[in-house]
């Protein structure tokens, strides 16, 4: 089956609210020709979400956040609920990015809580998995991916998968300029889809989009996106320049 490609930017802790409209409008302008052909998303710092949504109005660009909490409201200082994101107009949320796992105590269990809350609320959850270099070199790649999938997606149903995107981000390729080769990425994407098939059934697993993330750029996007199980990209650095981001989206449109 053919899955529509999805290219999402992860702005991380870059771009101020006052800079947001220009970047979103730049992306919208540069990707006009790909409207409807590729899902185009900018995931921004929570404080930029309203400005991003205002700037994206009437364009093909959709907006997401970079994290959400699993409780609807309450005494959780510093957190953002799914209801708040929806109320602002966000459609997507990144869950379990490796930087959250590395620096902010995110675990497979909290990934699961956040992912299920996001999906239940009606947001599309972009759930990130990926191994460190140490894990890969230590022969633990498969074990790590299986654990992140099985625990992170526990109790996610086949019906929930309509609101699920998975991002494979090898930690050693993030922000390093070192990209997984298309074959290395495809191998893990196939493993992710096979694992998902065991969780929700093969038919549903075929419908779920799996993005690659880690130093994806206009120059290497086409060869990655040509692979059978690579259905898009989660883009860090190259999402901060409209022209670079658009170059990746063009590659997705032509894949
Ligand atoms: P880079 O594209 O900067 O390597 O970042 C990838 C990433 O972490 C996207 O979530």
């Amino acid at each position: 089956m053919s899955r529509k490609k999805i290219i999402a930017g992860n702005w991380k802790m870059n771009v101020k609210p006052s800079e947001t409209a220009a970047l979103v409008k730049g992306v919208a302008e540069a990707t006009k020709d790909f409207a409807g052909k590729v899902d185009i998303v900018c995931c921004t710092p929570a404080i930029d979400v309203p400005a991003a949504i205002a700037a994206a109005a009437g364009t093909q660009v959709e907006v997401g956040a970079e994290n959400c909490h699993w409780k609807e409201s309450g005494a959780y200082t510093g957190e953002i609920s799914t209801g708040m994101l929806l109320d602002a107009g966000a459609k997507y949320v990144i869950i379990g990015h490796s930087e959250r796992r590395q620096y902010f105590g995110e675990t497979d269990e909290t990934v699961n809580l956040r992912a299920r809350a996001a999906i239940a609320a009606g947001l599309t959850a972009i759930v990130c998995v990926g191994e460190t270099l140490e894990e890969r070199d230590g022969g633990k790649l498969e074990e790590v991916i299986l654990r992140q999938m099985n625990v992170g997606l526990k109790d996610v149903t086949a019906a929930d998968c309509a609101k699920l995107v998975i991002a494979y981000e090898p930690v050693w390729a993030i922000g390093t300029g070192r990209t997984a080769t298309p074959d290395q990425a495809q191998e893990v994407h196939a493993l992710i889809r096979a694992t998902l098939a065991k969780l929700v059934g093969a038919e549903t697993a075929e419908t779920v989009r799996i993005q690659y993330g880690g130093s994806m750029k206009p120059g290497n996007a086409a060869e990655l996106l040509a692979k059978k199980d690579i259905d898009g990209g989660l883009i860090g650095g190259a999402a901060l320049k409209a022209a670079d981001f658009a170059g990746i989206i063009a590659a997705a449109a032509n894949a």
Side-chain angles (χ1 to χ4, degrees), residues 8-10 12 94 97-99 128 167 169 173-177 213-217 234-239:
N10 172 9
K12 308 193 179 185
I94 298 170
H97 191 278
S98 64
E99 287 149 18
C128 303
E169 299 207 316
I174 296 175
T176 58
S215 299
M216 201 190 248
K217 307 180 219 25
L234 185 56
I235 320 300

Side-chain angles (χ1 to χ4, degrees), residues 1 83 114 152 164 197 208 227 233 238:
M1 73 156 295
R114 293 184 210 277
L164 175 68
V208 173
K227 291 290 175 185

Side-chain angles (χ1 to χ4, degrees), residues 46-113:
I47 198 165
D48 296 349
V49 165
I53 285 163
T59 77
Q60 68 284 6
V61 176
E62 294 182 294
V63 175
E66 299 174 12
N67 187 29
C68 68
H69 198 260
W70 55 90
K71 290 284 174 84
E72 196 38 54
S73 62
Y76 301 99
T77 302
E79 291 289 325
I80 306 265
S81 74
T82 58
M84 291 169 184
L85 292 176
L86 283 167
D87 187 65
K91 297 248 176 5
Y92 290 81
V93 61
I94 298 170
I95 306 283
H97 191 278
S98 64
E99 287 149 18
R100 298 224 50 93
R101 296 176 189 257
Q102 189 179 352
Y103 304 127
F104 303 105
E106 190 83 73
T107 64
D108 295 321
E109 286 76 16
T110 55
V111 167
N112 183 247
L113 289 168

Side-chain angles (χ1 to χ4, degrees), residues 140-157:
K140 295 219 160 73
L141 168 64
E142 185 165 340
E143 177 190 324
V144 169
I145 299 293
L146 259 53
R147 190 201 68 228
Q148 291 176 339
M149 293 281 299
N150 289 328
V151 181
L153 297 179
K154 186 168 178 282
D155 296 331
V156 169
T157 67

